[in-house]
Amino acid sequence: MSVGIAVENIVKEFPITKEESIRVLHGIDLEINTGELTYLIGESGSGKTTLISIIAGILFPTEGRVNIFGTDIYDLTDTELVNFRLDNIGFIFQQYNLLPALTAAENAAVPLYANGIAREEGVERGKAILDALNIADQCEKLPRQLSGGQQQRVAIARALIHEPRIVVCDEPTAALDAGSGRRVMDLLREVALAPDRAVIIVTHDNRVFDLADRIIEIEDGRITHDGKELPDAH
Amino acid sequence: MGWIALRMLTGDRVKLIGLLFGVAFSTLLISQQLTIFVNLIMRGAVAVQEVSTADVWVMDPSSRTIDVFAPMPSTALERVRGVDGVAYASPMLRSNAVVRTPSGDLEGVNIVGVDDATLIGLPRRMAEGDRQALAEPDSVFIDDTGSRKLFAEDEQVIGTRLELNDQRAVIRGIADAVPTFTSQVILYTRYSNALRYAPGTRNRLSFVLVRSDSDHTPEELVAAIESETGLRARTAEDFANDGLWFIIENTGIPVNFGITVVLGFIVGVAIVGLTFTLFIRDNIKQFGALKAIGVTNAKIRSMVAIQAGFVGLVGYGIGIFVAEMFFILNSGVDTFKGFYMPWQIPLLTAVVTLVMIMLTGFLALRSVLKTEPAEVFR
Ligand SMILES: Nc1ncnc2c1ncn2[C@@H]1O[C@H](COP(=O)(O)OP(=O)(O)OP(=O)(O)O)[C@@H](O)[C@H]1O
Ligand SMILES: [Mg+2]
């Protein structure tokens, strides 16, 4: 276990009018270890999505630094940052965000395609990882022919297929019923967790907290709890 | 990523059809209207172009086109023949007359009197009958479009007697001629006959058709004829263009067609622009997800370019094909007789379509490139 992500004094402000802006994150300091499943919890509007977006390199912070395995990602040029994401980060979105025109296997292989891998090879590797996620029989289907839980598995496959060192999930179970939500979380713990990989999951779902190695709570843009257990209020 | 771009496009049938329809429709509108425009204008030149044996036309100094002219005294023919470099010169008489058909209808016609001996001035091809039949007494040829105007389909045209300004005329042949801009019925006859048919004024020679000899270019001959005879001379090519420009300058046609072409462009841009923008907007989440995963703006740009290129190419192909089919299927209709699509039109339409697609693609793309990938998390 080592430090995978170091977040230093992250401040994020969003402009609301020309002169005014609101501060959503107030100087977050955080280190996230590899080999752990870290949960990020907090009330709606507390800044969870904002924080993991900044960690994942898809939202510029107003102040502060994010260092991922030794790289200060916001010192990179735009193109370098995009390529850094492609090589190092796996995303799982709440809304799955699969490409509706691609089959499950092709969707799973999108990061490979972005890296220039040929279609057939991508499909083969997509099938392999979908097999590991127990939906090999759904490979040829389009997203709209899949259930929510199945789509989320395809999204997980897509997040892991290129073996990124960081996996970021924003409420991966929010659109699922309790049963499938639990199964997806179990699966994530099973397949995403690796000794040299940091996994951050944003969630509201208190039924799955027992799967976490570490729980961080933020309130109004400040960290208010950090530990193995849930904060007392829960 | 190219195949993914295409799959995104074809995966959305309704929008794809909308896009193709937009491009095809504006391509069709632009190319078809331009073709009609060009061909209509060209009809101001066909009467000159049809007389392929003459390379210089000589006329009264005030004459402007083959339809707008002042007659010359018949001595002009001899004066032209006296100019050095003239291989041969033949007279042409053009005049308006009224015919009475056997059924008693009156119709305004254009009489064209051609040289008795050489028949220079007659259209090259006959639809029916033989050129030599013009030598027979009172013989006239009618142009094919005119024959359909004057006679019903089952009526016998050849052999029909007409009363031409109270003179007897017999139709002995049908000439295969491209309709002229005025689209009047044309009756061809020998020059000597034409003198009888045309109402009698002293000067009745309309044009002298000249062939230059091998030692002189038409341009040299034009200069020589003008300086030696005081008449106006034009090369056949210039004179054909005069007729064309006369129409452009004196009718509303260019403006009207210009408006249609501009409308075609605007409608095309509107349809294509809207559907393409909507298509991109709808896919913004997908592009955002791709960006978040690690697809560079350059790759996204080329994906949209591939989509635009596909839509442009297929839509353009459909549009040009339908336009071409329109003219092929309607070639039997007199209004479109002889219409063809000069190669410049598909090219120009392609350029216009390209601009249209690039413009809308570029605008649609801006919103994609501007999206912060974090948008897809929200
Ligand atoms: N692009 C933006 N422009 C303006 N304000 C924003 C923007 N993104 C987020 N905010 C604001 O920042 C605050 C934190 O938003 P964020 O999405 O990070 O919350 P969250 O903890 O993920 O909430 P939820 O649990 O509802 O997803 C909110 O008050 C939100 O309105
Ligand atoms: Mg959120």
Side-chain angles (χ1 to χ4, degrees):
Chain A
M1 190 175 93
S2 64
V3 175
I5 306 170
V7 172
E8 248 175 69
N9 186 33
I10 285 292
V11 171
K12 179 66 186 176
E13 289 176 357
F14 287 110
I16 33 178
T17 62
K18 273 210 179 73
E19 291 86 33
E20 272 184 287
S21 55
I22 47 161
R23 185 168 284 217
V24 174
L25 296 178
H26 302 264
I28 303 271
D29 289 304
L30 189 61
E31 285 186 346
I32 296 193
N33 301 318
T34 56
E36 275 188 359
L37 207 57
T38 305
Y39 275 20
L40 189 60
I41 65 172
E43 284 183 0
S44 183
S46 55
K48 306 182 294 293
T49 298
T50 307
L51 180 58
I52 60 159
S53 298
I54 290 172
I55 290 174
I58 57 172
L59 185 67
F60 272 80
T62 311
E63 282 172 34
R65 300 172 346 128
V66 175
N67 187 292
I68 296 180
F69 293 107
T71 306
D72 267 337
I73 61 172
Y74 291 106
D75 287 346
L76 301 174
T77 64
D78 280 359
T79 310
E80 282 170 351
L81 180 55
V82 174
N83 289 327
F84 183 87
R85 290 202 298 265
L86 183 57
D87 293 339
N88 295 288
I89 296 173
F91 294 89
I92 297 165
F93 310 100
Q94 180 178 335
Q95 297 300 336
Y96 326 132
N97 283 308
L98 301 174
L99 301 186
L102 301 191
T103 65
E106 289 164 348
N107 260 298
V110 161
L112 304 181
Y113 295 139
N115 250 326
I117 280 172
R119 199 172 79 90
E120 289 73 24
E121 192 190 338
V123 170
E124 284 313 308
R125 288 176 60 183
K127 275 182 184 161
I129 193 159
L130 289 177
D131 193 28
L133 293 168
N134 298 322
I135 47 166
D137 50 336
Q138 311 293 324
C139 286
E140 307 291 333
K141 289 193 180 165
L142 296 175
R144 65 179 144 78
Q145 299 164 322
L146 300 174
S147 72
Q150 289 168 334
Q151 288 188 56
Q152 196 58 295
R153 280 168 201 240
V154 176
I156 291 171
R158 180 176 67 181
L160 300 177
I161 195 164
H162 53 310
E163 300 185 342
R165 291 193 290 179
I166 290 182
V167 174
V168 173
C169 322
D170 194 8
E171 312 211 18
T173 60
L176 303 178
D177 61 66
S180 352
R182 175 79 198 190
R183 278 195 294 280
V184 164
M185 284 296 192
D186 276 333
L187 198 63
L188 265 176
R189 191 176 170 89
E190 195 185 309
V191 297
L193 210 55
D196 54 353
R197 179 184 287 155
V199 183
I200 310 173
I201 300 175
V202 169
T203 186
H204 270 125
D205 194 345
N206 52 18
R207 288 162 308 209
V208 295
F209 288 158
D210 58 305
L211 295 172
D213 295 312
R214 180 177 170 195
I215 296 175
I216 297 169
E217 184 183 43
I218 56 175
E219 264 174 56
D220 289 333
R222 290 184 179 85
I223 293 177
T224 53
H225 171 86
D226 187 349
K228 172 80 185 91
E229 304 299 326
L230 275 179
D232 297 339
H234 287 262
Chain B
M1 299 298 279
W3 64 272
I4 295 183
L6 288 180
R7 195 79 80 72
M8 281 169 83
L9 198 60
T10 50
D12 198 338
R13 286 282 152 76
V14 179
K15 282 210 198 67
L16 179 62
I17 290 170
L19 281 168
L20 290 178
F21 177 81
V23 178
F25 183 75
S26 61
T27 303
L28 172 66
L29 207 60
I30 292 170
S31 63
Q32 194 226 32
Q33 291 299 309
L34 271 179
T35 302
I36 293 179
F37 169 71
V38 167
N39 281 277
L40 266 190
I41 296 287
M42 297 280 265
R43 286 187 170 180
V46 291
V48 174
Q49 286 164 345
E50 208 137 54
V51 189
S52 54
T53 41
D55 49 23
V56 174
W57 289 59
V58 183
M59 64 206 86
D60 183 86
S62 59
S63 297
R64 296 189 56 189
T65 72
I66 198 164
D67 295 310
V68 182
F69 59 86
M72 304 172 280
S74 52
T75 54
L77 180 60
E78 292 313 316
R79 275 161 45 219
V80 172
R81 281 181 174 152
V83 176
D84 187 36
V86 173
Y88 53 82
S90 49
M92 175 181 261
L93 184 154
R94 299 181 78 92
S95 170
N96 292 318
V98 174
V99 289
R100 188 185 293 279
T101 61
S103 52
D105 292 334
L106 288 181
E107 178 83 36
V109 300
N110 222 316
I111 296 175
V112 176
V114 301
D115 187 43
D116 285 43
T118 61
L119 301 185
I120 288 171
L122 209 57
R124 261 162 289 172
R125 284 181 310 275
M126 296 294 288
E128 243 179 88
D130 184 79
R131 285 166 75 94
Q132 297 312 319
L134 203 61
E136 290 171 36
D138 302 327
S139 178
V140 298
F141 292 166
I142 190 168
D143 72 300
D144 53 341
T145 313
S147 80
R148 282 188 288 274
K149 210 162 159 189
L150 230 50
F151 300 96
E153 214 173 308
D154 51 351
E155 269 180 297
Q156 173 70 22
V157 178
I158 298 208
T160 304
R161 283 157 181 256
L162 300 170
E163 227 177 78
L164 192 55
N165 283 349
D166 289 336
Q167 306 276 332
R168 202 178 84 101
V170 184
I171 299 176
R172 298 200 200 270
I174 301 176
D176 180 5
V178 176
T180 62
F181 183 71
T182 56
S183 69
Q184 260 194 324
V185 178
I186 302 172
L187 292 179
Y188 300 92
T189 187
R190 279 176 289 129
Y191 189 78
S192 55
N193 266 342
L195 289 173
R196 280 197 297 120
Y197 294 135
T201 53
R202 215 158 42 82
N203 299 338
R204 279 184 287 177
L205 177 60
S206 311
F207 299 98
V208 177
L209 310 185
V210 175
R211 180 92 200 167
S212 54
D213 66 20
S214 50
D215 296 335
H216 296 77
T217 65
E219 287 75 17
E220 286 164 0
L221 200 53
V222 162
I225 291 172
E226 289 200 334
S227 70
E228 284 178 41
T229 63
L231 296 168
R232 181 169 190 247
R234 301 284 282 159
T235 64
E237 203 185 326
D238 287 347
F239 196 48
N241 287 336
D242 290 346
L244 203 140
W245 278 104
F246 189 82
I247 294 175
I248 293 179
E249 283 162 13
N250 291 282
T251 68
I253 292 178
V255 175
N256 286 326
F257 278 91
I259 289 172
T260 318
V261 169
V262 170
L263 281 182
F265 182 74
I266 293 173
V267 168
V269 169
I271 299 179
V272 176
L274 273 176
T275 35
F276 205 52
T277 310
L278 280 179
F279 171 77
I280 302 272
R281 283 271 155 83
D282 276 11
N283 290 343
I284 230 162
K285 275 214 149 199
Q286 298 181 40
F287 284 121
L290 288 175
K291 279 174 78 165
I293 288 167
V295 178
T296 55
N297 271 349
K299 276 200 190 127
I300 300 237
R301 230 180 257 126
S302 67
M303 286 177 80
V304 173
I306 286 171
Q307 291 171 340
F310 177 84
V311 167
L313 213 65
V314 175
Y316 169 80
I318 295 173
I320 288 286
F321 176 77
V322 173
E324 191 66 72
M325 283 314 282
F326 173 86
F327 292 113
I328 290 173
L329 293 179
N330 284 306
S331 60
V333 179
D334 285 335
T335 316
F336 301 115
K337 188 181 176 194
F339 271 30
Y340 73 105
M341 202 185 282
W343 60 267
Q344 290 93 337
I345 289 181
L347 188 72
L348 188 74
T349 313
V351 171
V352 169
T353 309
L354 193 74
V355 168
M356 192 165 78
I357 290 277
M358 297 235 294
L359 206 73
T360 56
F362 174 77
L363 287 179
L365 195 62
R366 272 199 338 179
S367 53
V368 173
L369 297 185
K370 269 198 330 224
T371 336
E372 272 205 84
E375 286 294 310
V376 295
F377 264 145
R378 296 176 55 75

